[in-house]
Amino acid sequence: METFDNQSALNERVKEPVIHISLNPSPQDELTEGQLASLAAEFMEKFGYGRQPYLVYLHTDIDRKHLHIVSHRVRNDGQKIDYYREAHRAMAICREMEQKYGLHPPGKSDTRQEIAALRKVDYPAGDVKEQVKRTARTLIERYNVRSLPELNTLLELYNIRIDEVKGVQNGEAYHGLLYGALNDAGQRVGTPFKSSRLGETFG
């Protein structure tokens, strides 16, 4: 935390200085801790964070070993690492490494087929609420994510983003989630929907 606080102080204009990444190898790939560490290091190098401070944590709370990586978007010279469409780049690197090392894509075959059948939300096509609801529900139910940034990394591949809203209104605190559509440039389009309008799963 001390290291990250010092790194943040180099450029306080960066609103989201810390990045969280989850790497989830398939249970079919029996990898040692050393191999997992090597894969994490190679991923971070390809991702542009190889020279950044980062922490890799091995997690075994679900049916497979997986890695959580936390790093910093501010370099030692105070410059911000470009994080435009980070999720897309991360997924492309994972697919590349799977092919390079002969690893299995994570997840059950029926899950992969269902995910592959999903389409990005297409705002001009209309009925945006139903598009967001259908795609987000499938991803939420099929993937085991542990944080909102991790979920957004997944949803942004399909032109969806969740924003957390907190505040006080009429003396009462409120805390909720807004689901909205993105265009292919990752920019918000249209009016977001409260999670309560989509159903209990979404809150």
Side-chain angles (χ1 to χ4, degrees):
M1 286 178 65
E2 214 171 283
T3 300
F4 276 36
D5 284 343
N6 292 338
Q7 204 80 6
S8 295
L10 297 174
N11 188 341
E12 296 181 347
R13 291 171 297 177
V14 179
K15 294 181 179 179
E16 297 181 21
V18 176
I19 178 173
H20 168 242
I21 301 157
S22 179
L23 298 182
N24 296 271
S26 168
Q28 298 176 70
D29 299 314
E30 297 182 6
L31 302 170
T32 66
E33 290 188 13
Q35 289 171 322
L36 288 168
S38 294
L39 288 173
E42 181 174 341
F43 174 87
M44 293 300 277
E45 190 65 37
K46 291 177 182 292
F47 200 38
Y49 286 81
R51 297 181 180 273
Q52 292 298 99
Y54 64 86
L55 174 72
V56 183
Y57 182 80
L58 175 63
H59 221 181
T60 55
D61 62 324
I62 55 176
D63 63 352
R64 64 183 182 275
K65 292 180 180 178
H66 60 285
L67 302 174
H68 292 271
I69 307 175
V70 181
S71 189
H72 211 287
R73 291 186 170 113
V74 178
R75 299 199 305 249
N76 288 334
D77 61 2
Q79 295 298 307
K80 178 188 74 175
I81 292 179
D82 182 17
Y83 52 89
Y84 175 69
R85 293 179 78 78
E86 237 171 16
H88 294 263
R89 292 194 292 112
M91 294 295 283
I93 293 168
C94 287
R95 300 294 83 80
E96 175 192 330
M97 291 177 64
E98 285 165 6
Q99 292 184 1
K100 178 180 177 181
Y101 294 108
L103 302 174
H104 297 82
K108 298 177 182 179
S109 58
D110 60 339
T111 298
R112 290 200 301 272
Q113 290 169 1
E114 184 170 2
I115 298 303
L118 288 176
R119 295 181 178 179
K120 291 181 179 182
V121 169
D122 182 4
Y123 183 77
D127 204 7
V128 177
K129 180 183 172 185
E130 284 307 308
Q131 288 190 65
V132 168
K133 184 175 181 178
R134 180 180 64 250
T135 300
R137 180 190 295 279
T138 300
L139 295 171
I140 289 169
E141 290 178 348
R142 294 296 185 182
Y143 279 90
N144 189 339
V145 296
R146 296 289 171 177
S147 66
L148 185 57
E150 190 175 343
L151 178 57
N152 267 329
T153 295
L154 177 63
L155 292 176
E156 285 172 6
L157 295 172
Y158 295 89
N159 288 354
I160 302 170
R161 184 170 67 227
I162 304 174
D163 289 317
E164 191 174 18
V165 290
K166 297 179 181 180
V168 177
Q169 189 171 18
N170 298 326
E172 292 189 9
Y174 64 86
H175 182 198
L177 299 174
L178 294 177
Y179 283 71
L182 306 175
N183 59 24
D184 286 336
Q187 300 166 328
R188 172 80 76 192
V189 287
T191 304
F193 308 98
K194 291 181 179 180
S195 61
S196 59
R197 290 188 59 197
L198 300 176
E200 186 177 344
T201 300
F202 301 88

Short mmCIF file of all heavy atoms in Angstrom, two decimals, residues 43-66:
data_model
loop_
_atom_site.label_atom_id
_atom_site.label_comp_id
_atom_site.label_asym_id
_atom_site.label_seq_id
_atom_site.Cartn_x
_atom_site.Cartn_y
_atom_site.Cartn_z
N PHE A 43 2.48 -12.07 -19.14
CA PHE A 43 1.27 -11.30 -19.42
C PHE A 43 1.51 -9.82 -19.12
O PHE A 43 1.17 -8.95 -19.92
CB PHE A 43 0.10 -11.82 -18.59
CG PHE A 43 -1.14 -10.97 -18.72
CD1 PHE A 43 -2.06 -11.20 -19.73
CD2 PHE A 43 -1.37 -9.92 -17.84
CE1 PHE A 43 -3.19 -10.41 -19.87
CE2 PHE A 43 -2.49 -9.12 -17.98
CZ PHE A 43 -3.40 -9.36 -18.99
N MET A 44 2.07 -9.53 -17.96
CA MET A 44 2.28 -8.13 -17.55
C MET A 44 3.24 -7.41 -18.49
O MET A 44 3.08 -6.23 -18.79
CB MET A 44 2.77 -8.07 -16.11
CG MET A 44 1.74 -8.53 -15.09
SD MET A 44 0.21 -7.54 -15.11
CE MET A 44 0.72 -6.16 -14.08
N GLU A 45 4.25 -8.12 -18.97
CA GLU A 45 5.19 -7.53 -19.92
C GLU A 45 4.48 -7.18 -21.22
O GLU A 45 4.61 -6.06 -21.74
CB GLU A 45 6.34 -8.51 -20.19
CG GLU A 45 7.49 -7.92 -20.97
CD GLU A 45 8.23 -6.83 -20.22
OE1 GLU A 45 8.40 -6.95 -18.99
OE2 GLU A 45 8.63 -5.84 -20.89
N LYS A 46 3.70 -8.11 -21.75
CA LYS A 46 2.97 -7.88 -23.00
C LYS A 46 1.91 -6.78 -22.83
O LYS A 46 1.59 -6.05 -23.76
CB LYS A 46 2.29 -9.16 -23.47
CG LYS A 46 3.24 -10.27 -23.94
CD LYS A 46 2.45 -11.52 -24.31
CE LYS A 46 3.37 -12.66 -24.73
NZ LYS A 46 4.05 -12.40 -26.00
N PHE A 47 1.38 -6.67 -21.63
CA PHE A 47 0.29 -5.73 -21.34
C PHE A 47 0.81 -4.31 -21.09
O PHE A 47 0.03 -3.37 -20.99
CB PHE A 47 -0.46 -6.24 -20.11
CG PHE A 47 -1.85 -5.69 -19.94
CD1 PHE A 47 -2.69 -5.46 -21.02
CD2 PHE A 47 -2.33 -5.41 -18.67
CE1 PHE A 47 -3.97 -4.97 -20.86
CE2 PHE A 47 -3.61 -4.91 -18.49
CZ PHE A 47 -4.43 -4.68 -19.58
N GLY A 48 2.13 -4.17 -20.99
CA GLY A 48 2.72 -2.85 -20.79
C GLY A 48 2.97 -2.49 -19.34
O GLY A 48 3.27 -1.34 -19.02
N TYR A 49 2.85 -3.48 -18.44
CA TYR A 49 3.03 -3.23 -17.01
C TYR A 49 4.25 -3.96 -16.43
O TYR A 49 4.39 -4.08 -15.22
CB TYR A 49 1.78 -3.66 -16.23
CG TYR A 49 0.61 -2.73 -16.38
CD1 TYR A 49 -0.20 -2.79 -17.51
CD2 TYR A 49 0.31 -1.78 -15.42
CE1 TYR A 49 -1.29 -1.94 -17.66
CE2 TYR A 49 -0.77 -0.92 -15.55
CZ TYR A 49 -1.57 -1.01 -16.68
OH TYR A 49 -2.63 -0.16 -16.82
N GLY A 50 5.12 -4.44 -17.31
CA GLY A 50 6.24 -5.24 -16.85
C GLY A 50 7.20 -4.51 -15.93
O GLY A 50 7.85 -5.12 -15.08
N ARG A 51 7.29 -3.18 -16.09
CA ARG A 51 8.20 -2.38 -15.26
C ARG A 51 7.48 -1.69 -14.10
O ARG A 51 8.09 -0.92 -13.37
CB ARG A 51 8.93 -1.34 -16.11
CG ARG A 51 9.83 -1.96 -17.17
CD ARG A 51 10.55 -0.90 -17.98
NE ARG A 51 11.41 -1.50 -18.99
CZ ARG A 51 12.66 -1.89 -18.77
NH1 ARG A 51 13.21 -1.72 -17.58
NH2 ARG A 51 13.37 -2.43 -19.74
N GLN A 52 6.19 -1.98 -13.96
CA GLN A 52 5.41 -1.38 -12.88
C GLN A 52 5.49 -2.25 -11.62
O GLN A 52 5.71 -3.46 -11.71
CB GLN A 52 3.94 -1.26 -13.30
CG GLN A 52 3.69 -0.25 -14.40
CD GLN A 52 4.07 1.15 -13.97
OE1 GLN A 52 5.15 1.65 -14.30
NE2 GLN A 52 3.19 1.79 -13.22
N PRO A 53 5.27 -1.64 -10.45
CA PRO A 53 5.12 -2.48 -9.24
C PRO A 53 3.83 -3.26 -9.37
O PRO A 53 2.80 -2.72 -9.78
CB PRO A 53 5.05 -1.45 -8.10
CG PRO A 53 4.56 -0.20 -8.75
CD PRO A 53 5.11 -0.21 -10.15
N TYR A 54 3.88 -4.55 -9.07
CA TYR A 54 2.63 -5.32 -9.09
C TYR A 54 2.73 -6.50 -8.13
O TYR A 54 3.81 -6.98 -7.81
CB TYR A 54 2.24 -5.76 -10.49
CG TYR A 54 3.16 -6.72 -11.21
CD1 TYR A 54 3.06 -8.10 -11.04
CD2 TYR A 54 4.11 -6.25 -12.12
CE1 TYR A 54 3.88 -8.98 -11.73
CE2 TYR A 54 4.93 -7.12 -12.81
CZ TYR A 54 4.82 -8.49 -12.62
OH TYR A 54 5.63 -9.35 -13.30
N LEU A 55 1.57 -6.93 -7.68
CA LEU A 55 1.44 -8.04 -6.75
C LEU A 55 0.61 -9.14 -7.41
O LEU A 55 -0.44 -8.87 -7.98
CB LEU A 55 0.73 -7.56 -5.47
CG LEU A 55 0.39 -8.62 -4.43
CD1 LEU A 55 1.65 -9.10 -3.74
CD2 LEU A 55 -0.58 -8.06 -3.40
N VAL A 56 1.11 -10.37 -7.34
CA VAL A 56 0.38 -11.52 -7.89
C VAL A 56 -0.04 -12.41 -6.73
O VAL A 56 0.80 -12.79 -5.91
CB VAL A 56 1.25 -12.34 -8.87
CG1 VAL A 56 0.44 -13.48 -9.47
CG2 VAL A 56 1.80 -11.44 -9.97
N TYR A 57 -1.32 -12.72 -6.66
CA TYR A 57 -1.85 -13.54 -5.57
C TYR A 57 -2.52 -14.78 -6.14
O TYR A 57 -3.40 -14.67 -7.00
CB TYR A 57 -2.85 -12.72 -4.74
CG TYR A 57 -3.42 -13.46 -3.56
CD1 TYR A 57 -2.69 -13.58 -2.37
CD2 TYR A 57 -4.67 -14.06 -3.63
CE1 TYR A 57 -3.21 -14.27 -1.30
CE2 TYR A 57 -5.20 -14.74 -2.55
CZ TYR A 57 -4.47 -14.85 -1.39
OH TYR A 57 -4.98 -15.54 -0.32
N LEU A 58 -2.10 -15.95 -5.68
CA LEU A 58 -2.70 -17.21 -6.12
C LEU A 58 -3.94 -17.49 -5.29
O LEU A 58 -3.88 -17.52 -4.06
CB LEU A 58 -1.70 -18.36 -5.97
CG LEU A 58 -2.23 -19.76 -6.29
CD1 LEU A 58 -2.64 -19.87 -7.75
CD2 LEU A 58 -1.16 -20.81 -5.96
N HIS A 59 -5.08 -17.72 -5.97
CA HIS A 59 -6.36 -17.91 -5.29
C HIS A 59 -6.89 -19.30 -5.61
O HIS A 59 -6.82 -19.74 -6.76
CB HIS A 59 -7.34 -16.85 -5.79
CG HIS A 59 -8.20 -16.27 -4.72
ND1 HIS A 59 -9.16 -15.32 -4.96
CD2 HIS A 59 -8.24 -16.50 -3.38
CE1 HIS A 59 -9.76 -15.00 -3.83
NE2 HIS A 59 -9.23 -15.70 -2.87
N THR A 60 -7.46 -19.96 -4.64
CA THR A 60 -7.99 -21.32 -4.87
C THR A 60 -9.39 -21.45 -4.28
O THR A 60 -9.78 -22.52 -3.82
CB THR A 60 -7.07 -22.38 -4.23
OG1 THR A 60 -6.91 -22.07 -2.83
CG2 THR A 60 -5.71 -22.41 -4.89
N ASP A 61 -10.17 -20.37 -4.32
CA ASP A 61 -11.49 -20.38 -3.69
C ASP A 61 -12.56 -20.97 -4.58
O ASP A 61 -13.69 -21.20 -4.15
CB ASP A 61 -11.90 -18.96 -3.27
CG ASP A 61 -12.01 -18.02 -4.45
OD1 ASP A 61 -11.20 -18.16 -5.39
OD2 ASP A 61 -12.89 -17.15 -4.44
N ILE A 62 -12.25 -21.22 -5.86
CA ILE A 62 -13.21 -21.86 -6.76
C ILE A 62 -12.58 -23.13 -7.29
O ILE A 62 -11.57 -23.58 -6.78
CB ILE A 62 -13.64 -20.91 -7.90
CG1 ILE A 62 -12.41 -20.38 -8.66
CG2 ILE A 62 -14.45 -19.75 -7.36
CD1 ILE A 62 -12.77 -19.51 -9.85
N ASP A 63 -13.17 -23.73 -8.33
CA ASP A 63 -12.73 -25.06 -8.76
C ASP A 63 -11.42 -25.07 -9.53
O ASP A 63 -11.02 -26.09 -10.06
CB ASP A 63 -13.83 -25.72 -9.60
CG ASP A 63 -14.12 -24.95 -10.88
OD1 ASP A 63 -13.60 -23.84 -11.03
OD2 ASP A 63 -14.88 -25.48 -11.72
N ARG A 64 -10.75 -23.98 -9.60
CA ARG A 64 -9.46 -23.94 -10.30
C ARG A 64 -8.55 -22.91 -9.66
O ARG A 64 -9.00 -21.95 -9.04
CB ARG A 64 -9.66 -23.59 -11.78
CG ARG A 64 -10.23 -22.19 -11.99
CD ARG A 64 -10.49 -21.89 -13.45
NE ARG A 64 -10.99 -20.55 -13.64
CZ ARG A 64 -12.27 -20.21 -13.55
NH1 ARG A 64 -13.17 -21.13 -13.26
NH2 ARG A 64 -12.67 -18.97 -13.73
N LYS A 65 -7.24 -23.11 -9.83
CA LYS A 65 -6.30 -22.09 -9.40
C LYS A 65 -6.44 -20.88 -10.34
O LYS A 65 -6.56 -21.05 -11.55
CB LYS A 65 -4.86 -22.61 -9.49
CG LYS A 65 -4.51 -23.70 -8.50
CD LYS A 65 -3.07 -24.13 -8.70
CE LYS A 65 -2.67 -25.22 -7.72
NZ LYS A 65 -1.27 -25.68 -7.94
N HIS A 66 -6.42 -19.71 -9.77
CA HIS A 66 -6.42 -18.51 -10.60
C HIS A 66 -5.62 -17.42 -9.92
O HIS A 66 -5.32 -17.51 -8.72
CB HIS A 66 -7.85 -18.04 -10.93
CG HIS A 66 -8.68 -17.70 -9.73
ND1 HIS A 66 -9.21 -18.65 -8.90
CD2 HIS A 66 -9.06 -16.51 -9.23
CE1 HIS A 66 -9.90 -18.05 -7.93
NE2 HIS A 66 -9.82 -16.76 -8.12
#
